[in-house]
């Protein structure tokens, strides 16, 4: 289990957009070069970030910009923009429906509460991490 690579690429893109503000017009080609990803992948990620209201991208010419201050953008928002099913897709339960075993019949109910607690803890942690804090980490390196 891991958080999708799309999330790290999205954070990379957002950091780049922030760092390039006022210096360069940020395009999918430029971001593809920086991330090492295919420009199509970058355009899909930018589209998801735009749909989530995190960035704006003028049609045709590029020039992505943040829609909000970095302090107002959380890692959870970034992740959710890219993974619409959210964290519930991160923690799965194996399929054992129809088994006669009493454990198999009840495993989903048994794991529902602990998995929900894990999901809440991850969400809370991701909500406490802002793009601003990641910018600060980047600038300290």
């Amino acid at each position: 289990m891991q958080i999708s690579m799309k999330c790290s690429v999205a954070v990379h893109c957002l950091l780049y957009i922030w760092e390039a503000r006022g210096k360069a017009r940020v395009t999918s080609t430029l971001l593809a070069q920086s991330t090492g990803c295919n420009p199509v992948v970058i355009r899909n990620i930018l589209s998801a970030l735009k749909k989530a209201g995190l960035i704006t991208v003028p049609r045709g010419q590029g020039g992505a910009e943040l829609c909000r201050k970095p302090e107002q953008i959380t890692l959870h928002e970034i992740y959710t923009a890219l993974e619409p099913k959210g964290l519930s897709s991160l923690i799965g339960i194996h399929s054992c429906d129809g088994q006669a075993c009493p454990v198999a019949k009840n495993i989903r109910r048994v794991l529902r509460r602990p998995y929900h607690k894990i999901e809440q803890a991850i969400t809370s942690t991701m909500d406490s991490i802002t793009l601003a804090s990641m910018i600060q980490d980047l600038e300290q390196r």
Side-chain angles (χ1 to χ4, degrees):
M1 289 183 279
Q2 70 178 18
I3 293 179
S4 162
M5 294 281 200
K6 290 188 290 187
C7 186
S8 70
V9 174
V11 169
H12 185 132
C13 291
L14 292 169
L15 291 171
Y16 194 101
I17 290 166
W18 176 256
E19 290 296 312
R21 73 193 183 290
K23 299 174 198 161
R25 192 173 49 125
V26 180
T27 64
S28 58
T29 302
L30 197 56
L31 290 170
Q33 291 170 348
S34 178
T35 61
C37 291
N38 185 301
V40 173
V41 171
I42 297 299
R43 283 191 286 277
N44 288 336
I45 288 172
L46 293 179
S47 176
L49 294 173
K50 183 178 178 180
K51 185 177 177 181
L54 301 178
I55 64 168
T56 182
V57 183
R59 210 150 181 59
Q61 61 185 2
E65 296 178 357
L66 298 181
C67 286
R68 292 186 271 158
K69 294 177 182 177
E71 297 81 13
Q72 299 170 326
I73 299 173
T74 68
L75 184 56
H76 186 244
E77 286 180 290
I78 298 165
Y79 176 78
T80 303
L82 300 161
E83 300 294 340
K85 291 184 180 181
L87 293 168
S88 59
S89 64
L90 183 64
I91 306 170
I93 301 175
H94 63 288
S95 176
C96 57
D97 295 335
Q99 301 289 333
C101 171
V103 174
K105 288 180 181 179
N106 293 293
I107 192 69
R108 289 193 179 279
R109 279 179 277 176
V110 168
L111 289 175
R112 187 176 299 133
R113 189 174 317 139
Y115 279 15
H116 183 69
K117 288 174 94 173
I118 293 167
E119 187 177 330
Q120 286 178 317
I122 293 170
T123 298
S124 176
T125 300
M126 290 177 89
D127 278 337
S128 73
I129 300 167
T130 64
L131 183 60
S133 68
M134 292 184 278
I135 290 168
Q136 186 177 18
D137 286 347
L138 176 67
E139 291 174 350
Q140 289 176 351
R141 304 214 182 275

